[in-house]
Each structure stands twice: as structure tokens, then as C-alpha cells.
Amino acid sequence: MSRLKIATFNINGIRARLPALLAWLARESPDIACLQELKAAQSEFPIDEIRAAGYGAIWHGQKSWNGVAILAKGAEPLEVRRALPGFEADSHSRYLEAAVHGVLVACLYLPNGNPQPGPKFDYKLVWFEHFIKHAASLFETGHPVVLAGDYNVVPTDEDIYNPRSWLKDALLQPESRDAYQRLLAQGWTDALRAQYPDERIYTFWDYFRQHWQKNSGLRIDHLLLSKALSPTLMDAGVDRWVRGEPHASDHAPTWIMLEQGVAEKATRKKAPAKQATPKKVTSKKATPSKP
DNA sequence: ATGTCGTCCCCCGGACGA
């Protein structure tokens, strides 16, 4: 049996954030890292530095905006697709899918959708529907699949410090939340929520109003596990220290640890018995400080 | 309405997207 650490990280500009990315890779050593918001053209991706850090990578760049990448420690991700089926004409670089380390990884950057209502919100919902349709086909294969990325959806009011000042925001709209619930209803496991059913977990703190300093965060970066993988979930967390560094992204890396090889044995229920764990312990673990 | 970033354009501060 072997352990597999998979992370998702909206880096908000890979060129501005390259030192932060390399420091994080060196310290946390994820086996697979899904990145969003590269904000770099295809030719501007810093592949040499990433290779030097011990990672293979594929990426889908775009000038100025969007952009996604999949990094793998000591391996080359085998690209499956770089657009959603039926939505190949999407002008934004928001999707990348690869097979690596024995799992199929989808890296997504779902549209923000603000201002709402308006064409940007309409685009968010259209993108979401294409993604939901494709996710269903991935789930039905029965293969080990992870859907990792910035979903730009706060699933419930338990996933935000206080919904009051965000009620009109696209991230909390009923349409956004309904789409996310319909995705989960296909059978996916929201890994962070499964590991910490009763905790406040945030992955994003905007740059405004000292939200980081006040821990006024949102949970919008998600890792969804297919049926074959959900019993293998051993741990999960948010690398909050990355958000506290100078010149940080407004997101923190969010990760899961899977134990490969337990899927065949665990036919009964979800492997970790975290539901029984006291709150104080889980809240500490949700904010891990690594050795 | 505001707050703060990163990026672009292209000459440096303002627009845009988040």
C-alpha cells in the first residue's frame, strides 16, 4: 500500500507566485498538485523551475487570465483532455484532465460568475452544466477519479465565516449551490467535508478588509472523490501557512491523503471513522502544521 | 460602495477581473 497526497491550489499568477509555489512544493511535497489561475500564456509557464523541483507537469495557459496545470512528483501526467466534452469552444483555459500515479485527475477552475446577475453568471452556470455532465460519465466508469479545483462555490453557510455580506455574490447563489449539490448527488465525496463534518474549514481569504488577519474565510476549493477512492481517504487539510506568507495568493493549498490499496478491502463504509472524533481534535488537524 | 491584488497596455497609472 502506498500513500498519495493530492492538492489543489489557486496560485493567482504563477509568475508572481513562483517562489511561493516552490517553497510549498518543497515543504509539503504533494504527489499531485492541481493549479488554477496561472495568469500566464502557454509559453510563459515556468516549466524549468518546476522540473528542477522534481515535478513533471502539463498545463493549459492563457494570456492574462485563467490557466490550469497538473504537476506530479517524479512523473509525467498523461493528458486526457484540456476542454470539457461538448464545450471545446470555451475560450477560457479552465479545465485539464490527466492520468497519473494511478488516478484520473480533473483540474478545474470554475468561473467566478460575478457580477450577478449578468452574462458572467450565465457563463458560470453553463460551464457548470457541462462539467456536471462530464463528471457523470467519469463517475460511471468506476475508475479512481479526483475532481480537484477552485469551484467558486460556497456549498453551505457552514463554509463561510458569515454569509451576510456575500448574499448577492455569485459564490453563494442558490443556482451555484444547487449545481454543486447535483454534482455531489452523482455519488462524489466532498473529501474535506467528509473528513471534518462539523468544522469550519476555509481555503480562501480575500485581500479586502483584513479578512486573513480576522480569519474571515470561505471554503471554495474542493476535492471530490469517486466511489473507488472514497474509502481510501485517510486525511485532509489546508496548508494555511502558505496564505500567511508575504505576497501570498488569496487561496491556500487544500489537500487529501489517500491510501492506495485499501479500496478492495473497504467494501463496508467510508474508511476513516472521523465522525466520532471530538471537535477540538479535528479542528487542530484541519489546520495542520507540518514537521 | 468599498476594500486589494496581478496583469495588461505601454509608458507608470488606470482598466479589468477576481
Side-chain angles (χ1 to χ4, degrees), chain A residues 1-2 103 142-144 226-234 258-271:
Chain A
M1 294 202 286
S2 63
V103 296
H143 292 145
S226 67
K227 192 173 182 181
L229 286 184
S230 59
T232 74
L233 179 62
M234 293 293 119
L258 306 179
E259 183 93 60
Q260 291 182 310
V262 305
E264 309 78 51
K265 301 180 188 174
T267 47
R268 46 212 188 278
K269 34 186 164 177
K270 290 179 184 176

Side-chain angles (χ1 to χ4, degrees), chain A residues 2-233:
Chain A
S2 63
R3 297 196 151 222
L4 194 62
K5 184 177 183 179
I6 305 175
T8 181
F9 183 20
N10 179 320
I11 54 174
N12 188 15
I14 195 167
R15 288 168 293 165
R17 217 73 65 198
L18 185 58
L21 174 65
L22 297 175
W24 170 64
L25 291 175
R27 181 162 161 185
E28 304 294 347
S29 198
D31 297 293
I32 300 171
C34 296
L35 306 180
Q36 302 87 30
E37 275 208 86
L38 304 179
K39 291 186 173 178
Q42 187 71 11
S43 61
E44 292 176 316
F45 187 83
I47 184 61
D48 293 340
E49 291 88 341
I50 286 169
R51 281 202 201 289
Y55 284 80
I58 60 173
W59 63 97
H60 186 191
Q62 180 183 336
K63 190 177 179 180
S64 306
W65 318 120
N66 312 311
V68 287
I70 298 175
L71 280 50
K73 189 168 59 177
E76 294 297 331
L78 182 63
E79 181 170 325
V80 177
R81 50 172 53 87
R82 54 180 53 219
L84 289 169
F87 202 23
E88 290 83 359
D90 188 9
S91 61
H92 294 191
S93 299
R94 297 184 174 275
Y95 189 78
L96 195 53
E97 187 179 307
V100 64
H101 291 315
V103 296
L104 186 71
V105 180
C107 175
L108 63 135
Y109 176 44
L110 220 138
N112 173 293
N114 282 308
Q116 176 281 323
K120 292 188 178 177
F121 190 63
D122 296 341
Y123 170 65
K124 175 182 194 152
L125 297 181
V126 166
W127 204 98
F128 219 145
E129 293 307 318
H130 284 291
F131 180 62
I132 287 172
K133 189 174 288 184
H134 180 53
S137 74
L138 292 178
F139 193 88
E140 286 162 12
T141 64
H143 292 145
V145 183
V146 180
L147 311 178
D150 178 358
Y151 284 69
N152 270 313
V153 176
V154 175
T156 74
D157 286 353
E158 311 303 309
D159 299 302
I160 182 169
Y161 65 101
N162 183 350
R164 180 130 52 117
S165 55
W166 295 78
L167 288 176
K168 292 189 203 165
D169 196 283
L171 279 59
L172 279 74
Q173 290 314 297
E175 295 95 328
S176 307
R177 288 179 161 180
D178 174 73
Y180 188 74
Q181 292 306 322
R182 283 187 286 116
L183 175 62
L184 290 183
Q186 294 173 354
W188 301 94
T189 296
D190 180 337
L192 271 285
R193 189 45 81 208
Q195 192 72 6
Y196 302 105
D198 303 316
E199 303 304 316
R200 293 271 170 175
I201 302 167
Y202 306 137
T203 66
F204 165 84
W205 300 257
D206 72 26
Y207 291 124
F208 308 155
R209 293 162 289 194
Q210 299 205 300
H211 276 168
W212 166 248
Q213 288 80 358
K214 296 190 239 177
N215 193 29
S216 297
L218 290 68
R219 190 174 75 95
I220 57 176
D221 299 279
H222 308 301
L223 297 117
L224 271 47
L225 308 180
S226 67
K227 192 173 182 181
L229 286 184
S230 59
T232 74
L233 179 62

